[in-house]
Amino acid sequence: MSISSVADAPLIREPLHAPVAHLIRGGVVEGIHYGSVVVLGADGRVGFQLGDIEAAFYPRSALKPVQAVAMVRAGLPLDGELLSLAAASHSGEERHLAGTRRILELAGVSEDALRNVPDMPFGPAVRDEWVRAGRGPSRLAQNCSGKHAAMLYTCVLNGWPLEGYLDPSHPLQQAIAEIVEDLTGQRIARVTVDGCGAPLFSVSLNGLARALSRIAAAVPGTPEARVADAMRAHPEMASGAGRDVAALMRAVPGLLAKDGFEGVQVAALPDGRAVAVKIADGANRARIPVAAAALAWAGISPELLTEFQGEALLGGGEPVGCVRPVRSLEPVVVSACA
């Protein structure tokens, strides 16, 4: 799906974040998480906003579905589990490693061609097992290896050089940047380097929500729809066993969702409704409760979201509080520790 015009880049400024969640312990507000939230209606208009949804920010891995769309538009023939893996921040499970090897095999290149940063598996249980086995960091285990393997495959298919495939001036990254601007509807504000070594494009929170909305609501058979269908059908391939983002997609029919480091979460429905969240301090514990409240604001039944109210805060091993979205973000449901 293409758009006819692209707006100017969002301003680079200190974001005007607002309180989005309270840390409640024993009925007292112990802490406050600041951030920004946007809820888009099916018509693409902003139905709710909190904080600063127009300042430039880095979506981190929440942008991976957009990068995957760009690669499919450039001829990447993957579908199903392997396409979901191309948009993944995976846990490093054996299925993720095997899938990445398969993409590299299809590309006709070896693991040595990967240029993502070597790391231990992202999933805690997998990482612990990895350590017990005496294994060290590897490019294959790093959570972005599926995306990097797909990038190499895209280069091979287009006759682009494998060397320097992470350089922003490389044809692959230029193609991705074009689709980022297309789907977000705005120029990129700045380009830097993500944790894995790939270029990271700065857009607005509103732009990120627009992009996922367009992917989730795309016409069947399009590159956007292929990515959405793959991630919806194989959410654990795009994340991992026990990951909250996979559970969220399974709990809400038709939902497409992607998380990102530093407290970013985006989700969208087939009718175009979408939400995007940025937690200012990067706190992961506030990401899902705030996103769940935003989805309730968007019209998702609270009954589907009860398991995403956040982990209980413990005192002496017993629940004594929770992370609760601010009242303005909870028009439908208030969490149990009110």
Side-chain angles (χ1 to χ4, degrees):
M1 181 176 183
S2 181
I3 56 178
S4 58
S5 62
V6 176
D8 291 340
L11 292 177
I12 298 173
R13 65 184 183 217
E14 182 178 344
L16 303 174
H17 291 306
V20 294
H22 290 151
L23 181 66
I24 308 294
R25 183 181 293 273
V28 172
V29 176
E30 184 177 33
I32 301 174
H33 289 294
Y34 283 70
S36 295
V37 180
V38 62
V39 178
L40 301 183
D43 59 1
R45 297 182 180 179
V46 176
F48 175 86
Q49 66 181 84
L50 189 60
D52 195 341
I53 68 170
E54 298 296 352
F57 93 118
Y58 291 120
R60 303 299 300 269
S61 287
L63 200 62
K64 283 178 178 174
V66 180
Q67 293 170 307
V69 167
M71 289 188 279
V72 174
R73 286 195 188 185
L76 185 70
L78 301 178
D79 281 299
E81 289 188 347
L82 294 184
L83 183 53
S84 184
L85 181 61
S89 300
H90 65 70
S91 292
E93 299 163 18
E94 185 51 45
R95 58 179 157 183
H96 301 130
L97 306 187
T100 300
R101 291 190 191 98
R102 177 57 181 157
I103 296 173
L104 292 171
E105 179 183 318
L106 289 169
V109 300
S110 71
E111 184 180 337
D112 292 338
L114 292 170
R115 286 296 175 265
N116 56 317
V117 176
D119 202 356
M120 303 294 280
F122 178 69
V126 185
R127 184 170 58 248
D128 289 347
E129 182 179 344
W130 196 274
V131 171
R132 284 194 296 270
R135 304 172 75 178
S138 83
R139 298 186 194 276
L140 203 64
Q142 196 268 340
N143 76 91
C144 302
S145 64
K147 177 184 76 175
H148 281 255
M151 286 180 170
L152 290 168
Y153 194 6
T154 304
C155 289
V156 169
L157 291 166
N158 285 276
W160 296 332
L162 301 186
E163 188 68 28
Y165 77 92
L166 297 182
D167 191 308
S169 65
H170 189 281
L172 169 71
Q173 301 304 335
Q174 291 290 299
I176 290 174
E178 180 181 348
I179 303 310
V180 169
E181 293 187 336
D182 179 19
L183 292 178
T184 62
Q186 60 191 177
R187 300 294 179 194
I188 293 166
R190 183 162 292 176
V191 181
T192 187
V193 183
D194 208 342
C196 66
L200 177 60
F201 306 104
S202 180
V203 295
S204 70
L205 194 66
N206 195 9
L208 176 64
R210 281 194 300 266
L212 206 73
S213 170
R214 289 170 176 149
I215 294 172
V219 175
T222 61
E224 292 89 336
R226 283 173 54 191
V227 171
D229 289 345
M231 293 181 69
R232 289 181 185 125
H234 306 282
E236 283 84 8
M237 203 65 172
S239 55
R243 294 272 292 279
D244 53 27
V245 68
L248 187 62
M249 281 197 277
R250 293 209 177 277
V252 180
L255 189 71
L256 175 65
K258 185 69 186 76
D259 53 344
F261 280 162
E262 298 301 324
V264 181
Q265 181 68 55
V266 64
L269 290 153
D271 64 3
R273 286 176 291 163
V275 306
V277 170
K278 164 63 180 175
I279 305 301
D281 62 1
N284 199 49
R285 67 182 177 186
R287 172 181 53 84
I288 278 291
V290 172
L295 286 168
W297 230 108
I300 301 301
S301 170
E303 294 180 357
L304 299 176
L305 301 168
T306 54
E307 68 176 290
F308 305 105
Q309 293 180 358
E311 297 181 5
L313 300 180
L314 302 181
E318 298 296 327
V320 294
C322 68
V323 176
R324 185 184 71 198
V326 295
R327 297 293 189 185
S328 62
L329 193 51
E330 288 196 323
V332 180
V333 60
V334 176
S335 55
C337 69

